[in-house]
Amino acid sequence: MPQILVVEDNKPNSELLCDWLEAQGFQVLAVDTLSQAFAFCEDHIPDAVLLDVKLGPEDGLSLARWIRQQPKLLHLPVLAVTAHAMVTDHERVMQAGCNACISKPVDFKLLRKHLDRWLPLSARLQHAPNVK
Ligand code: MN
């Protein structure tokens, strides 16, 4: 089962994302701080990361920048989620090495498209979505 790391400090947002991902057949690990996210990625390689850009006072994008400097995580898909869908924010997100910038509130159809596009083939083959 493909595993998604969700990094989001807002509890209701995190729960909404996790519930949806689990219903889609993903295994989800949720953390709400950067240090938890770093600790997780030191020991595990998820199939994708959903990253809230603003984690309280912390800049979520520092995780994306760090991931892109780790040879073993270089190809890990990082999908940023941001409440600030301004052009400058989008650029900042992409420059940090994220694969996509998704505005809040999250459009799940769009999120599904990004996951289909960016999940590695190995993860997609493990994943049998419920056909409705
Ligand atoms: Mn936040």
Side-chain angles (χ1 to χ4, degrees):
M1 201 186 286
Q3 188 180 52
I4 313 279
L5 174 65
V6 172
V7 188
E8 163 66 90
D9 64 322
N10 179 285
K11 197 103 185 136
N13 282 351
S14 177
E15 282 173 5
L16 196 65
L17 281 171
C18 293
D19 287 350
W20 182 84
L21 287 165
E22 280 167 4
Q24 296 283 306
F26 294 104
Q27 189 192 334
V28 183
L29 192 107
V31 299
D32 58 8
T33 64
L34 273 183
S35 59
Q36 289 173 312
F38 282 120
F40 182 82
C41 291
E42 292 275 3
D43 300 333
H44 309 82
I45 304 180
D47 292 293
V49 179
L50 268 189
L51 176 62
D52 179 22
V53 167
K54 197 159 172 9
L55 293 164
E58 300 182 308
D59 181 8
L61 292 179
S62 58
L63 178 69
R65 290 187 204 101
W66 176 81
I67 283 173
R68 291 299 172 248
Q69 288 166 9
Q70 311 307 308
K72 63 171 185 172
L73 301 176
L74 193 58
H75 300 290
L76 171 60
V78 180
L79 309 179
V81 179
T82 174
H84 316 280
M86 287 155 49
V87 177
T88 49
D89 214 58
H90 186 275
E91 278 172 13
R92 220 170 69 80
V93 164
M94 300 314 277
Q95 276 168 10
C98 297
N99 297 71
C101 180
I102 300 167
S103 315
K104 289 183 186 181
V106 171
D107 172 347
F108 287 113
K109 246 174 134 173
L110 185 66
L111 176 56
R112 179 75 249 183
K113 275 189 189 158
H114 283 299
L115 287 168
D116 288 342
R117 174 167 180 197
W118 294 110
L119 274 177
L121 185 60
S122 56
R124 274 189 279 140
L125 292 176
Q126 290 172 46
H127 182 238
N130 301 324
V131 179
K132 293 209 178 103

PDB file of all heavy atoms in Angstrom, residues 95-121:
ATOM      1  N   GLN A  95      10.187  26.766  -6.484  1.00  0.00           N
ATOM      2  CA  GLN A  95      11.632  26.960  -6.336  1.00  0.00           C
ATOM      3  C   GLN A  95      12.202  26.129  -5.190  1.00  0.00           C
ATOM      4  O   GLN A  95      13.388  25.797  -5.195  1.00  0.00           O
ATOM      5  CB  GLN A  95      11.956  28.439  -6.122  1.00  0.00           C
ATOM      6  CG  GLN A  95      12.039  29.187  -7.447  1.00  0.00           C
ATOM      7  CD  GLN A  95      12.061  30.702  -7.275  1.00  0.00           C
ATOM      8  OE1 GLN A  95      12.197  31.194  -6.166  1.00  0.00           O
ATOM      9  NE2 GLN A  95      11.904  31.417  -8.380  1.00  0.00           N
ATOM     10  N   ALA A  96      11.354  25.807  -4.226  1.00  0.00           N
ATOM     11  CA  ALA A  96      11.813  24.981  -3.103  1.00  0.00           C
ATOM     12  C   ALA A  96      11.944  23.509  -3.509  1.00  0.00           C
ATOM     13  O   ALA A  96      12.435  22.693  -2.731  1.00  0.00           O
ATOM     14  CB  ALA A  96      10.853  25.119  -1.927  1.00  0.00           C
ATOM     15  N   GLY A  97      11.493  23.172  -4.713  1.00  0.00           N
ATOM     16  CA  GLY A  97      11.642  21.806  -5.197  1.00  0.00           C
ATOM     17  C   GLY A  97      10.391  20.956  -5.067  1.00  0.00           C
ATOM     18  O   GLY A  97      10.445  19.737  -5.231  1.00  0.00           O
ATOM     19  N   CYS A  98       9.243  21.606  -4.780  1.00  0.00           N
ATOM     20  CA  CYS A  98       7.987  20.839  -4.737  1.00  0.00           C
ATOM     21  C   CYS A  98       7.561  20.477  -6.154  1.00  0.00           C
ATOM     22  O   CYS A  98       7.885  21.180  -7.109  1.00  0.00           O
ATOM     23  CB  CYS A  98       6.880  21.663  -4.073  1.00  0.00           C
ATOM     24  SG  CYS A  98       7.238  22.064  -2.350  1.00  0.00           S
ATOM     25  N   ASN A  99       6.809  19.380  -6.269  1.00  0.00           N
ATOM     26  CA  ASN A  99       6.329  18.954  -7.581  1.00  0.00           C
ATOM     27  C   ASN A  99       5.070  19.706  -7.990  1.00  0.00           C
ATOM     28  O   ASN A  99       4.782  19.838  -9.175  1.00  0.00           O
ATOM     29  CB  ASN A  99       6.013  17.457  -7.562  1.00  0.00           C
ATOM     30  CG  ASN A  99       7.242  16.627  -7.285  1.00  0.00           C
ATOM     31  OD1 ASN A  99       7.735  16.636  -6.163  1.00  0.00           O
ATOM     32  ND2 ASN A  99       7.762  15.957  -8.281  1.00  0.00           N
ATOM     33  N   ALA A 100       4.297  20.147  -6.995  1.00  0.00           N
ATOM     34  CA  ALA A 100       3.041  20.823  -7.304  1.00  0.00           C
ATOM     35  C   ALA A 100       2.659  21.730  -6.154  1.00  0.00           C
ATOM     36  O   ALA A 100       3.133  21.558  -5.022  1.00  0.00           O
ATOM     37  CB  ALA A 100       1.937  19.785  -7.532  1.00  0.00           C
ATOM     38  N   CYS A 101       1.831  22.708  -6.457  1.00  0.00           N
ATOM     39  CA  CYS A 101       1.337  23.659  -5.459  1.00  0.00           C
ATOM     40  C   CYS A 101      -0.185  23.624  -5.522  1.00  0.00           C
ATOM     41  O   CYS A 101      -0.779  23.988  -6.531  1.00  0.00           O
ATOM     42  CB  CYS A 101       1.872  25.045  -5.808  1.00  0.00           C
ATOM     43  SG  CYS A 101       1.366  26.329  -4.669  1.00  0.00           S
ATOM     44  N   ILE A 102      -0.802  23.162  -4.447  1.00  0.00           N
ATOM     45  CA  ILE A 102      -2.254  22.983  -4.418  1.00  0.00           C
ATOM     46  C   ILE A 102      -2.848  23.983  -3.429  1.00  0.00           C
ATOM     47  O   ILE A 102      -2.384  24.094  -2.296  1.00  0.00           O
ATOM     48  CB  ILE A 102      -2.595  21.535  -3.991  1.00  0.00           C
ATOM     49  CG1 ILE A 102      -1.971  20.544  -4.991  1.00  0.00           C
ATOM     50  CG2 ILE A 102      -4.094  21.340  -3.875  1.00  0.00           C
ATOM     51  CD1 ILE A 102      -1.971  19.106  -4.506  1.00  0.00           C
ATOM     52  N   SER A 103      -3.867  24.730  -3.867  1.00  0.00           N
ATOM     53  CA  SER A 103      -4.474  25.738  -2.984  1.00  0.00           C
ATOM     54  C   SER A 103      -5.463  25.099  -2.020  1.00  0.00           C
ATOM     55  O   SER A 103      -6.095  24.105  -2.331  1.00  0.00           O
ATOM     56  CB  SER A 103      -5.258  26.777  -3.795  1.00  0.00           C
ATOM     57  OG  SER A 103      -4.543  27.186  -4.893  1.00  0.00           O
ATOM     58  N   LYS A 104      -5.576  25.745  -0.858  1.00  0.00           N
ATOM     59  CA  LYS A 104      -6.614  25.376   0.106  1.00  0.00           C
ATOM     60  C   LYS A 104      -7.848  26.228  -0.167  1.00  0.00           C
ATOM     61  O   LYS A 104      -7.699  27.393  -0.526  1.00  0.00           O
ATOM     62  CB  LYS A 104      -6.137  25.650   1.522  1.00  0.00           C
ATOM     63  CG  LYS A 104      -5.062  24.714   2.016  1.00  0.00           C
ATOM     64  CD  LYS A 104      -4.755  25.062   3.476  1.00  0.00           C
ATOM     65  CE  LYS A 104      -3.584  24.252   3.981  1.00  0.00           C
ATOM     66  NZ  LYS A 104      -3.285  24.556   5.378  1.00  0.00           N
ATOM     67  N   PRO A 105      -9.060  25.748   0.066  1.00  0.00           N
ATOM     68  CA  PRO A 105      -9.365  24.370   0.446  1.00  0.00           C
ATOM     69  C   PRO A 105      -9.020  23.405  -0.684  1.00  0.00           C
ATOM     70  O   PRO A 105      -9.205  23.734  -1.857  1.00  0.00           O
ATOM     71  CB  PRO A 105     -10.872  24.414   0.710  1.00  0.00           C
ATOM     72  CG  PRO A 105     -11.397  25.563  -0.074  1.00  0.00           C
ATOM     73  CD  PRO A 105     -10.283  26.567  -0.121  1.00  0.00           C
ATOM     74  N   VAL A 106      -8.522  22.226  -0.302  1.00  0.00           N
ATOM     75  CA  VAL A 106      -8.022  21.277  -1.297  1.00  0.00           C
ATOM     76  C   VAL A 106      -9.171  20.712  -2.138  1.00  0.00           C
ATOM     77  O   VAL A 106     -10.173  20.247  -1.608  1.00  0.00           O
ATOM     78  CB  VAL A 106      -7.257  20.130  -0.600  1.00  0.00           C
ATOM     79  CG1 VAL A 106      -6.917  19.027  -1.586  1.00  0.00           C
ATOM     80  CG2 VAL A 106      -5.987  20.678   0.044  1.00  0.00           C
ATOM     81  N   ASP A 107      -8.978  20.815  -3.433  1.00  0.00           N
ATOM     82  CA  ASP A 107      -9.901  20.207  -4.392  1.00  0.00           C
ATOM     83  C   ASP A 107      -9.415  18.760  -4.570  1.00  0.00           C
ATOM     84  O   ASP A 107      -8.348  18.519  -5.130  1.00  0.00           O
ATOM     85  CB  ASP A 107      -9.817  21.008  -5.704  1.00  0.00           C
ATOM     86  CG  ASP A 107     -10.592  20.364  -6.837  1.00  0.00           C
ATOM     87  OD1 ASP A 107     -11.000  19.189  -6.702  1.00  0.00           O
ATOM     88  OD2 ASP A 107     -10.768  21.026  -7.858  1.00  0.00           O
ATOM     89  N   PHE A 108     -10.197  17.808  -4.059  1.00  0.00           N
ATOM     90  CA  PHE A 108      -9.709  16.422  -4.021  1.00  0.00           C
ATOM     91  C   PHE A 108      -9.542  15.813  -5.409  1.00  0.00           C
ATOM     92  O   PHE A 108      -8.706  14.946  -5.613  1.00  0.00           O
ATOM     93  CB  PHE A 108     -10.607  15.563  -3.135  1.00  0.00           C
ATOM     94  CG  PHE A 108     -10.424  15.868  -1.679  1.00  0.00           C
ATOM     95  CD1 PHE A 108     -11.438  16.461  -0.936  1.00  0.00           C
ATOM     96  CD2 PHE A 108      -9.218  15.585  -1.046  1.00  0.00           C
ATOM     97  CE1 PHE A 108     -11.252  16.762   0.404  1.00  0.00           C
ATOM     98  CE2 PHE A 108      -9.029  15.883   0.294  1.00  0.00           C
ATOM     99  CZ  PHE A 108     -10.043  16.478   1.022  1.00  0.00           C
ATOM    100  N   LYS A 109     -10.347  16.295  -6.350  1.00  0.00           N
ATOM    101  CA  LYS A 109     -10.174  15.793  -7.724  1.00  0.00           C
ATOM    102  C   LYS A 109      -8.796  16.196  -8.254  1.00  0.00           C
ATOM    103  O   LYS A 109      -8.116  15.420  -8.917  1.00  0.00           O
ATOM    104  CB  LYS A 109     -11.250  16.406  -8.630  1.00  0.00           C
ATOM    105  CG  LYS A 109     -12.235  15.385  -9.166  1.00  0.00           C
ATOM    106  CD  LYS A 109     -13.335  16.093  -9.915  1.00  0.00           C
ATOM    107  CE  LYS A 109     -13.627  15.423 -11.230  1.00  0.00           C
ATOM    108  NZ  LYS A 109     -14.823  16.051 -11.868  1.00  0.00           N
ATOM    109  N   LEU A 110      -8.416  17.420  -7.935  1.00  0.00           N
ATOM    110  CA  LEU A 110      -7.110  17.928  -8.369  1.00  0.00           C
ATOM    111  C   LEU A 110      -5.983  17.182  -7.638  1.00  0.00           C
ATOM    112  O   LEU A 110      -4.975  16.810  -8.252  1.00  0.00           O
ATOM    113  CB  LEU A 110      -7.033  19.433  -8.080  1.00  0.00           C
ATOM    114  CG  LEU A 110      -5.789  20.151  -8.574  1.00  0.00           C
ATOM    115  CD1 LEU A 110      -5.737  20.148 -10.102  1.00  0.00           C
ATOM    116  CD2 LEU A 110      -5.767  21.584  -8.053  1.00  0.00           C
ATOM    117  N   LEU A 111      -6.177  16.965  -6.346  1.00  0.00           N
ATOM    118  CA  LEU A 111      -5.168  16.234  -5.576  1.00  0.00           C
ATOM    119  C   LEU A 111      -4.978  14.831  -6.159  1.00  0.00           C
ATOM    120  O   LEU A 111      -3.851  14.349  -6.309  1.00  0.00           O
ATOM    121  CB  LEU A 111      -5.594  16.156  -4.109  1.00  0.00           C
ATOM    122  CG  LEU A 111      -4.692  15.337  -3.184  1.00  0.00           C
ATOM    123  CD1 LEU A 111      -3.249  15.819  -3.221  1.00  0.00           C
ATOM    124  CD2 LEU A 111      -5.233  15.386  -1.754  1.00  0.00           C
ATOM    125  N   ARG A 112      -6.082  14.196  -6.502  1.00  0.00           N
ATOM    126  CA  ARG A 112      -6.029  12.855  -7.115  1.00  0.00           C
ATOM    127  C   ARG A 112      -5.189  12.891  -8.405  1.00  0.00           C
ATOM    128  O   ARG A 112      -4.348  12.035  -8.650  1.00  0.00           O
ATOM    129  CB  ARG A 112      -7.470  12.420  -7.396  1.00  0.00           C
ATOM    130  CG  ARG A 112      -7.675  11.073  -8.046  1.00  0.00           C
ATOM    131  CD  ARG A 112      -7.462   9.952  -7.070  1.00  0.00           C
ATOM    132  NE  ARG A 112      -6.259   9.257  -7.453  1.00  0.00           N
ATOM    133  CZ  ARG A 112      -5.807   8.159  -6.836  1.00  0.00           C
ATOM    134  NH1 ARG A 112      -6.428   7.671  -5.798  1.00  0.00           N
ATOM    135  NH2 ARG A 112      -4.733   7.568  -7.252  1.00  0.00           N
ATOM    136  N   LYS A 113      -5.409  13.944  -9.209  1.00  0.00           N
ATOM    137  CA  LYS A 113      -4.652  14.078 -10.462  1.00  0.00           C
ATOM    138  C   LYS A 113      -3.166  14.227 -10.196  1.00  0.00           C
ATOM    139  O   LYS A 113      -2.332  13.630 -10.878  1.00  0.00           O
ATOM    140  CB  LYS A 113      -5.135  15.308 -11.258  1.00  0.00           C
ATOM    141  CG  LYS A 113      -6.336  15.029 -12.116  1.00  0.00           C
ATOM    142  CD  LYS A 113      -6.625  16.219 -13.037  1.00  0.00           C
ATOM    143  CE  LYS A 113      -7.955  16.018 -13.734  1.00  0.00           C
ATOM    144  NZ  LYS A 113      -8.527  17.284 -14.198  1.00  0.00           N
ATOM    145  N   HIS A 114      -2.818  15.041  -9.191  1.00  0.00           N
ATOM    146  CA  HIS A 114      -1.406  15.232  -8.866  1.00  0.00           C
ATOM    147  C   HIS A 114      -0.785  13.933  -8.346  1.00  0.00           C
ATOM    148  O   HIS A 114       0.345  13.607  -8.692  1.00  0.00           O
ATOM    149  CB  HIS A 114      -1.225  16.352  -7.851  1.00  0.00           C
ATOM    150  CG  HIS A 114      -1.350  17.718  -8.452  1.00  0.00           C
ATOM    151  ND1 HIS A 114      -0.510  18.179  -9.438  1.00  0.00           N
ATOM    152  CD2 HIS A 114      -2.229  18.724  -8.216  1.00  0.00           C
ATOM    153  CE1 HIS A 114      -0.858  19.405  -9.779  1.00  0.00           C
ATOM    154  NE2 HIS A 114      -1.905  19.758  -9.055  1.00  0.00           N
ATOM    155  N   LEU A 115      -1.539  13.198  -7.526  1.00  0.00           N
ATOM    156  CA  LEU A 115      -1.010  11.926  -7.023  1.00  0.00           C
ATOM    157  C   LEU A 115      -0.790  10.957  -8.181  1.00  0.00           C
ATOM    158  O   LEU A 115       0.243  10.297  -8.260  1.00  0.00           O
ATOM    159  CB  LEU A 115      -1.965  11.319  -5.983  1.00  0.00           C
ATOM    160  CG  LEU A 115      -1.982  12.030  -4.630  1.00  0.00           C
ATOM    161  CD1 LEU A 115      -3.161  11.548  -3.789  1.00  0.00           C
ATOM    162  CD2 LEU A 115      -0.674  11.799  -3.875  1.00  0.00           C
ATOM    163  N   ASP A 116      -1.737  10.886  -9.092  1.00  0.00           N
ATOM    164  CA  ASP A 116      -1.599   9.983 -10.245  1.00  0.00           C
ATOM    165  C   ASP A 116      -0.395  10.380 -11.090  1.00  0.00           C
ATOM    166  O   ASP A 116       0.314   9.547 -11.625  1.00  0.00           O
ATOM    167  CB  ASP A 116      -2.860  10.020 -11.123  1.00  0.00           C
ATOM    168  CG  ASP A 116      -4.033   9.333 -10.457  1.00  0.00           C
ATOM    169  OD1 ASP A 116      -3.799   8.549  -9.512  1.00  0.00           O
ATOM    170  OD2 ASP A 116      -5.182   9.574 -10.864  1.00  0.00           O
ATOM    171  N   ARG A 117      -0.177  11.678 -11.185  1.00  0.00           N
ATOM    172  CA  ARG A 117       0.928  12.137 -12.012  1.00  0.00           C
ATOM    173  C   ARG A 117       2.292  11.894 -11.359  1.00  0.00           C
ATOM    174  O   ARG A 117       3.250  11.523 -12.032  1.00  0.00           O
ATOM    175  CB  ARG A 117       0.762  13.636 -12.295  1.00  0.00           C
ATOM    176  CG  ARG A 117       1.964  14.192 -13.025  1.00  0.00           C
ATOM    177  CD  ARG A 117       1.724  15.560 -13.605  1.00  0.00           C
ATOM    178  NE  ARG A 117       2.929  16.002 -14.287  1.00  0.00           N
ATOM    179  CZ  ARG A 117       3.171  17.245 -14.627  1.00  0.00           C
ATOM    180  NH1 ARG A 117       2.269  18.174 -14.368  1.00  0.00           N
ATOM    181  NH2 ARG A 117       4.285  17.576 -15.229  1.00  0.00           N
ATOM    182  N   TRP A 118       2.366  12.117 -10.030  1.00  0.00           N
ATOM    183  CA  TRP A 118       3.684  12.155  -9.389  1.00  0.00           C
ATOM    184  C   TRP A 118       4.075  10.907  -8.618  1.00  0.00           C
ATOM    185  O   TRP A 118       5.255  10.698  -8.346  1.00  0.00           O
ATOM    186  CB  TRP A 118       3.790  13.380  -8.476  1.00  0.00           C
ATOM    187  CG  TRP A 118       3.760  14.649  -9.240  1.00  0.00           C
ATOM    188  CD1 TRP A 118       2.745  15.576  -9.264  1.00  0.00           C
ATOM    189  CD2 TRP A 118       4.748  15.145 -10.149  1.00  0.00           C
ATOM    190  NE1 TRP A 118       3.059  16.602 -10.120  1.00  0.00           N
ATOM    191  CE2 TRP A 118       4.284  16.364 -10.667  1.00  0.00           C
ATOM    192  CE3 TRP A 118       5.994  14.666 -10.562  1.00  0.00           C
ATOM    193  CZ2 TRP A 118       5.017  17.116 -11.593  1.00  0.00           C
ATOM    194  CZ3 TRP A 118       6.733  15.412 -11.483  1.00  0.00           C
ATOM    195  CH2 TRP A 118       6.227  16.620 -11.984  1.00  0.00           C
ATOM    196  N   LEU A 119       3.110  10.087  -8.238  1.00  0.00           N
ATOM    197  CA  LEU A 119       3.502   8.873  -7.513  1.00  0.00           C
ATOM    198  C   LEU A 119       4.374   8.022  -8.418  1.00  0.00           C
ATOM    199  O   LEU A 119       4.096   7.889  -9.604  1.00  0.00           O
ATOM    200  CB  LEU A 119       2.269   8.060  -7.104  1.00  0.00           C
ATOM    201  CG  LEU A 119       1.592   8.440  -5.802  1.00  0.00           C
ATOM    202  CD1 LEU A 119       0.359   7.568  -5.602  1.00  0.00           C
ATOM    203  CD2 LEU A 119       2.535   8.267  -4.620  1.00  0.00           C
ATOM    204  N   PRO A 120       5.435   7.444  -7.858  1.00  0.00           N
ATOM    205  CA  PRO A 120       6.265   6.576  -8.695  1.00  0.00           C
ATOM    206  C   PRO A 120       5.441   5.399  -9.198  1.00  0.00           C
ATOM    207  O   PRO A 120       4.485   4.974  -8.555  1.00  0.00           O
ATOM    208  CB  PRO A 120       7.373   6.126  -7.747  1.00  0.00           C
ATOM    209  CG  PRO A 120       6.941   6.488  -6.381  1.00  0.00           C
ATOM    210  CD  PRO A 120       5.886   7.540  -6.481  1.00  0.00           C
ATOM    211  N   LEU A 121       5.849   4.882 -10.326  1.00  0.00           N
ATOM    212  CA  LEU A 121       5.116   3.770 -10.940  1.00  0.00           C
ATOM    213  C   LEU A 121       4.969   2.609  -9.965  1.00  0.00           C
ATOM    214  O   LEU A 121       3.916   1.989  -9.879  1.00  0.00           O
ATOM    215  CB  LEU A 121       5.852   3.335 -12.207  1.00  0.00           C
ATOM    216  CG  LEU A 121       5.157   2.265 -13.036  1.00  0.00           C
ATOM    217  CD1 LEU A 121       3.782   2.733 -13.505  1.00  0.00           C
ATOM    218  CD2 LEU A 121       6.019   1.888 -14.225  1.00  0.00           C
TER     219      LEU A 121
END
